[in-house]
Amino acid sequence: MATIERNTTLAAQIRQSLEMQIDSKLLQPGVKLPSERELSELFDTTRTTVKEALLAMEAEGRVYCEDRRGWFVAPPRLIYNPLYRSPFHQIVTEQKRQLETLVLSSRTIVATPTLCQELALPTLSRVNEVTRLRKLDGRVVLLARHYLKPERFPGILEHDLSQSLTTLYEQQYGVRYGRSRFEINPTAAWGEVAQALMLTEGSPILLISCVNYDQHGEIIDCDHEYWRHDAVRILVDSQELERMKANTLL
Amino acid sequence: MATIERNTTLAAQIRQSLEMQIDSKLLQPGVKLPSERELSELFDTTRTTVKEALLAMEAEGRVYCEDRRGWFVAPPRLIYNPLYRSPFHQIVTEQKRQLETLVLSSRTIVATPTLCQELALPTLSRVNEVTRLRKLDGRVVLLARHYLKPERFPGILEHDLSQSLTTLYEQQYGVRYGRSRFEINPTAAWGEVAQALMLTEGSPILLISCVNYDQHGEIIDCDHEYWRHDAVRILVDSQELERMKANTLL
DNA sequence: TTGCTCCTTTGGTCTAGTCCAGATTTGAAC
DNA sequence: GTTCAAATCTGGACTAGACCAAAGGAGCAA
């Protein structure tokens, strides 16, 4: 009766073996695994097969890979509610994690057609773009690009953009978040995004696009958030919106 | 127009080449690509390299693979709002797509610890499990498992479960959806899930877990939805909740 | 038509390498 | 200590195959 159908493939055995090590805490989150070459010797096989096992574990979010640096045990996912527009720093610290923000660039650009549509702008409008890289407990997990209307936030690019934009909006411009809208797309990382997230070109990522409105229902800005897919779990509760609204009205 | 950028890698060239064919509509959504062997001959390379290109395109949602059947051009994603609990059939037809539902199993089981927590049940409770496979324009895209409290829906397993559960709840039991809560996890497909979705073990998928409440705030049921990641785009608008609530109150 | 085999095609799994580019480390010069 | 170049280590890209299992089609029989 208790015929445990052994997963026959070699890659599956490697996977099980590594998972046991992780589950038993012998391999702690963030710790580097032995190199693909070492693992292939250890399991008496080739790099190809080891890689296959690692890719499947990566898809599940058990391990992650940093380009040419190695494979690591994945920490627990950050729980994230894109509707809940509180300062990101707060979300992170509430979960007892540590956040680090790097401003990669901030400039004024001509909006792409997609952007014009998202921000309800006429074609060839200029927008401010702020690109920031976020690290969770020292690990790069998110590349966020914010796009804002220049006339709405004059001179914002002169401020320190490594702090919370939410706070900056409110304190410097008296703008507060109201409702918002978001979209989630599982997609692949290319070019700058892949580089910044230390991913190989074509790796699967999660793209979260938010459009945010102020207390008067006017569009404030939008974000394109490129997440390492193993680093996040999206959670949305329709009841939480009640609380949010209460806060906004205060 | 069609500028072939000199992306260095061979896999990137194959990708660009295939993408051009798709973009130019020479390869229509749902059409089968030549086999990996044929492509490797065509591009004068090996299956390994062709596969690398295809995997990257799959991650992006441009193509998809069905286990031992071949590679196909991916149709547009279904836009889906997990908070908006209208009959799934309706969501699909509104987007001019065709839905097919197969009931894979319906039975009473002992709830797993996770399930007990989600449904706020005491340990070792029994729940009804309904497993359904959904096809979009003939293609398998979603495996959904519904878990419901038996005492809440006596004899429900005797009904035709290929129709809308929302409608069945309302018409047979007078239960209507109120608020809900959902979670999105990018993860990997194993065992039955992989088989049902015609995926290879360890392929990346999207797991959407919903907990649904009735008009009185009592838990009705929960779903575990295993989506082919290329088939769906999640869209949530906090304003839409206003409309929803208005509907519920009527 | 229905059911059944058998064969072909397909991707899945795996071997055993090679060469390359970027990241890291090491160690010597300053 | 600091700086910088060289050596080493890592995964990325790629070759050229092999065998396997499942899907699908062809053809035959009831």
Side-chain angles (χ1 to χ4, degrees), chain B residues 155-209:
Chain B
I156 197 168
L157 298 188
E158 316 309 321
H159 286 86
D160 172 17
L161 297 169
S162 67
Q163 31 158 340
S164 157
L165 288 185
T166 316
T167 315
L168 197 59
Y169 286 175
E170 188 163 343
Q171 297 187 345
Q172 299 291 321
Y173 301 92
V175 171
R176 211 182 284 180
Y177 282 125
R179 79 176 178 103
S180 64
R181 206 178 91 90
F182 72 89
E183 208 179 284
I184 300 178
N185 264 293
T187 184
W190 306 112
E192 289 171 53
V193 175
Q195 275 202 319
L197 292 176
M198 301 207 268
L199 286 167
T200 313
E201 300 262 322
S203 295
I205 55 165
L206 218 56
L207 168 56
I208 306 182
S209 315

Side-chain angles (χ1 to χ4, degrees), chain A residues 9-11 44-49 52 67-69:
Chain A
T9 74
L10 183 47
D44 199 28
T45 180
T46 56
R47 269 182 71 198
T48 317
T49 305
E52 198 193 313
D67 196 279
R68 271 168 258 256
R69 289 193 1 102

Side-chain angles (χ1 to χ4, degrees), chain B residues 30 32-33 35 64-72 138 198:
Chain B
K32 189 176 168 306
L33 296 181
S35 73
Y64 64 94
C65 185
E66 287 188 355
D67 195 279
R68 269 167 257 258
R69 290 195 357 104
W71 291 87
F72 304 83
M198 301 207 268

